[in-house]
Amino acid sequence: MLKDIERVLVSSEELQKITERLGKQISEDYKDKNLLLVSVLKGSISFMADLMRNITIPCQIDFMALSTYGSGTESSGRVRVNKDLDIYPEGYDILIVEDILDSGRTLEYIINNMLLPKNAKSVKICTLLDKPERRVANITADYVGTSVPNAFVVGYGLDFDEKYRNLPFIGELKKEVYSD
């Protein structure tokens, strides 16, 4: 797998510092709230696990799975719900935990079609990676780990065709690996 990585963008040590910083800020901001962390599977699983270990206040967790990519590298623009929440969102202060905020279409869909219509008390976004130059939806993260360039990134939960999720860092995938 390492031979397929062009360069490391975010090291394991940097990821640890990011989750500590965000966990501390979220703990302060949600100290008197009914916090429900919602992980968008599969890409955010590593980030969610490390982030919640750094949150020092009571919270609940749940998961949803949506897809827009399939096995390609460009978003299809259509969102498919593969798994909805088990906890009904009404009355919760929801923090969506996302691996990467790219086009914003998936998060826009989640907020407008799955959470706000079900009377979530509040909805905010925490993303590990922000790629603002690719944004097409009117979505902004409330908590951002770091920004990344417009490159195809893998590792720490992010994948290409279900591979590379287990890398302990965020790396840029070599173009020859994913281009035809």
Side-chain angles (χ1 to χ4, degrees):
M1 287 190 303
L2 294 178
K3 68 180 177 16
D4 296 338
I5 303 301
E6 184 71 38
R7 63 186 166 131
V8 173
L9 296 173
V10 187
S11 70
S12 296
E13 296 78 19
E14 290 171 301
L15 290 167
Q16 181 179 353
K17 288 177 185 171
I18 287 169
T19 57
E20 288 171 359
R21 172 179 53 85
L22 292 174
K24 180 180 179 185
Q25 186 64 54
I26 291 164
S27 297
E28 291 172 13
D29 293 350
Y30 284 86
K31 65 182 172 203
D32 295 319
K33 300 195 179 209
N34 191 17
L35 178 58
L36 175 62
L37 300 172
V38 173
S39 175
V40 182
L41 297 173
K42 299 177 189 172
S44 67
I45 190 71
S46 297
F47 178 46
M48 172 75 143
D50 288 344
L51 180 65
M52 69 182 196
R53 280 192 284 266
N54 284 287
I55 293 175
T56 59
I57 59 168
C59 64
Q60 291 180 270
I61 64 169
D62 204 347
F63 302 90
M64 57 178 30
L66 300 100
S67 59
T68 58
Y69 281 93
S71 63
T73 60
E74 290 293 322
S75 174
S76 67
R78 292 183 307 272
V79 177
R80 184 180 63 187
V81 178
N82 300 323
K83 184 210 175 299
D84 201 348
L85 295 173
D86 293 325
I87 299 172
Y88 195 77
E90 185 171 6
Y92 283 95
D93 294 292
I94 295 177
L95 184 60
I96 302 170
V97 178
E98 182 66 290
D99 54 354
I100 188 166
L101 178 47
D102 195 313
S103 72
R105 286 185 183 122
T106 302
L107 287 175
E108 182 178 58
Y109 182 88
I110 290 169
I111 292 166
N112 294 334
N113 297 293
M114 302 179 76
L115 299 176
L116 291 179
K118 295 177 183 173
N119 298 317
K121 189 172 180 182
S122 67
V123 179
K124 291 190 176 184
I125 300 166
C126 177
T127 188
L128 173 61
L129 305 175
D130 192 17
K131 206 187 272 190
E133 66 272 7
R134 299 229 341 132
R135 195 92 69 251
V136 295
N138 187 23
I139 295 287
T140 305
D142 302 279
Y143 303 91
V144 175
T146 190
S147 292
V148 291
N150 190 13
F152 198 92
V153 295
V154 294
Y156 196 66
L158 290 103
D159 75 302
F160 169 64
D161 204 18
E162 295 297 326
K163 298 174 186 83
Y164 307 99
R165 291 188 195 276
N166 56 321
L167 291 173
F169 56 81
I170 304 290
E172 179 180 350
L173 195 61
K174 289 180 179 175
K175 190 168 183 121
E176 61 263 20
V177 174
Y178 61 88
S179 59
D180 295 318

